[in-house]
Amino acid sequence: MRGLWAQMGIMPLERAGLEARVDHRSLEDQRAAALERGEELVAMTLDRDPEIGKLGPAANAMERKARRMAEHNGTDYTPVTQRGAQVHGVRQQRSLMADLLSGMVQARNIYMAAREADASRLSAATEAARALFSFRGRGHDFAASFSRAYQGEGGRAAAGLGR
């Protein structure tokens, strides 16, 4: 049934010309497939907690109201329900991992381009490291955002997420 649902979800995305895809497999299975394809960086982003599917109508309404108020006041959104905090924490972590992956791919591409241009290994690595360490995810300080999202014991979000 999950496979059929995924197939139905893919068609509208393709018609709209979007690259996003629906995958019915568990994160573990997707990660294993990425490793088999040799896509270690993609596999890293799949090593995360799954997102909680539903908030429920009451919690969803409360979170939407809090998000609108934060936007109106020009402040950061802070979840108002425990379930909302869990969903928000997982989404933040997923977003930050995607930003980190993007920075790592950019650094790898810079290294490869420098090596192809006959730069020494050290020079190419220096350029790649400079790009990676100056990387700012989505227009804000990546390191600070990463620290906020991954607070708490064992690197889990403070929202009470456990593995």
Side-chain angles (χ1 to χ4, degrees), residues 83-103:
R83 187 79 161 197
Q86 290 174 330
V87 169
H88 184 67
V90 171
R91 286 180 180 168
Q92 274 188 313
Q93 290 175 10
R94 187 174 57 198
S95 174
L96 289 166
M97 285 302 290
D99 287 344
L100 181 58
L101 173 63
S102 176

Side-chain angles (χ1 to χ4, degrees), residues 20-158:
R21 292 293 177 259
V22 176
D23 195 326
H24 68 284
R25 298 174 296 170
S26 70
L27 290 172
E28 247 178 60
D29 290 344
Q30 291 178 53
R31 184 174 184 277
L35 287 171
E36 284 178 23
R37 292 189 307 267
E39 297 176 346
E40 293 176 15
L41 296 178
V42 172
M44 285 173 54
T45 65
L46 294 168
D47 187 20
R48 59 178 169 82
D49 294 322
E51 187 173 316
I52 298 166
K54 288 187 95 172
L55 283 177
N60 199 15
M62 293 170 68
E63 296 301 338
R64 271 197 318 267
K65 182 179 178 183
R67 208 173 285 114
R68 281 194 308 266
M69 290 296 291
E71 188 176 302
H72 181 271
N73 295 334
T75 60
D76 288 336
Y77 160 69
T78 303
V80 293
T81 64
Q82 182 178 6
R83 187 79 161 197
Q86 290 174 330
V87 169
H88 184 67
V90 171
R91 286 180 180 168
Q92 274 188 313
Q93 290 175 10
R94 187 174 57 198
S95 174
L96 289 166
M97 285 302 290
D99 287 344
L100 181 58
L101 173 63
S102 176
M104 291 169 68
V105 167
Q106 179 184 5
R108 181 185 62 196
N109 292 342
I110 288 170
Y111 177 85
M112 300 294 277
R115 289 294 289 152
E116 286 175 9
D118 290 328
S120 70
R121 285 188 189 119
L122 180 59
S123 176
T126 301
E127 286 183 49
R130 188 174 293 123
L132 183 59
F133 292 122
S134 67
F135 178 71
R136 303 238 187 255
R138 299 186 191 221
H140 54 277
D141 184 1
F142 180 81
S145 297
F146 194 87
S147 295
R148 280 193 302 274
Y150 283 90
Q151 299 169 9
E153 183 180 334
R156 307 312 314 153

